[in-house]
Amino acid sequence: MISAHSAASVRAAEAPLLAAGRGPELMRTAAYGLAQGVLATLRARGAMVYGARVALLIGPGNNGGDALFAGAFLAARGARTTALLTSGRTHPEALAAFASAGGRCLSLSADAGDPTLAATGFLAAAGVSDVVVDGLLGTGGRGGLREPVASIVARLEQLSGSARPAVVACDLPSGVDATTGEVHAPVLRADLTVTFGAHKAGLLASPGEQFCGKISLVDLGLGSYLGESELLRLEPADLAAMLPMPNVADHKYTRGVAGVIAGSGQYPGAGILAVAAASACGPGMVRYLGPPSVADALHVRNPEVVCSQDEPQDVRVQAWLAGPGIDGDSRQLGRAREAMEAGLPTAVDAAALDLVNPDDGAKNAHLVLTPHAGELSALFARCGIDMHRTDIEAAPLAAARRAAQLFGSTVLLKGATTVVAAPGGAVFTQANGTPRLAAAGSGDTLAGILVALLAMVSAPQDLAATAALAAALHGELARHARAHEPLNAGMLANRIPAVWGALAAREPN
């Protein structure tokens, strides 16, 4: 499991090591790790270090020093390195090492010559480089890049296709907030981010994560100094350990009974997709409550599902799903309200989100709300909070935390990086999926997976971890698809057994 920390927490963990005089050692370790990241990027592009072209954007802080020391390492091995010094303050030892190794320096400082000429020269060098290293801003950066550096980065970001060099970010892409994941444009989108000491929370949250590429961690020995994590992320080995499996003493009731209130005469597909996903996860039973027309269609797709027109109080389940496709159906909405009030773990999706009452926060602890940004905006509006969809998408980590506290429920905020926030403070983020999951009905499949897991897990009180597991499994359904293979929501449930099996068979670390 990945533990990610705030920028302040990482800096606090570094403080005792710096006070002990280990600053140069930490910088050498970081720089070596960064250089190895550049080497790996070159190899991936079929290039050797000797003769490769590497351009480096150098800021005034320690990130700039890390990048210059990495550049010196590469230059000493035959790379043609060009550094743009963006400030009159540059780490002196790192700059000396870079120059001594044969690196070429250009400067935006007026004291060093013509800044415009330096910028033009660097852009020309970067345009023919194999790799550009972003060493501009570190964890202490605030508010993004300023001119003239912002314009230079914007020009580099416009490069595309074969003309675009690979980008390696030093600790984090400059302009991404290390704690919140908020983005202050322009940001040079990285193919690889080599981060130091600890994972930063902002690199595992949208929209920042979408600018990081692959993330590689360089261990600086901060583990024993780091405080409480800002957020957690489940890795494949965690999924293998968490996915519920039946034991020899189980029967259909002890393996978990998932109750589904979804679908209507107007939107039958939502119920069909949710039930198919829930059943594919292998609970002991799936009970469906809803219109006969939807039940008839379900029996064609999933004959094992027990369908009825009962009310929630008339059946026994371990967890409920309420909401997908029940819009405009008064009886389904009534069933959803009753299920949400039953006190069992309940996934609340789509139309049922309108039934959540923030004034009942103390009574909502068993609910897992599953909005996308637009639905969360509407939930906030009902509480008198003006937060537009774009505001939520710009800072989903903060929005999910606020919603969890406001409603007293676990909140699974869907997006490119899914955020799961518990009212008690625990936060997970998962980015297992691919853009191919952005299709009608995909959320219904996620809801079905979630209710199955809520019914099947041995400790359903840990709703946030179970919701994160559901989001991760849902994402893996797309990641395991063959390249360029068409994918729609109707195909997802059929993938669950194979993907579940592949994850469960994974050896623990």
Side-chain angles (χ1 to χ4, degrees), residues 51 437 444 495:
L437 283 177
D444 303 323
R495 295 178 176 274

Side-chain angles (χ1 to χ4, degrees), residues 113-208:
D114 185 348
T116 301
L117 190 60
T120 301
F122 179 79
L123 285 168
V128 296
S129 290
D130 298 289
V131 177
V132 170
V133 176
D134 172 6
L136 290 169
L137 298 179
T139 58
R142 293 289 183 272
L145 300 169
R146 296 175 175 82
E147 295 294 353
V149 181
S151 292
I152 293 170
V153 166
R155 288 277 301 277
L156 290 174
E157 184 61 15
Q158 290 171 0
L159 297 175
S160 60
S162 59
R164 188 183 192 275
V167 176
V168 177
C170 177
D171 206 19
L172 76 169
S174 298
V176 172
D177 188 290
T179 300
T180 68
E182 295 174 59
V183 170
H184 305 280
V187 174
L188 190 57
R189 194 177 300 269
D191 300 282
L192 171 68
T193 296
V194 181
T195 197
F196 309 132
H199 287 282
K200 283 75 178 178
L203 307 188
L204 299 180
S206 284

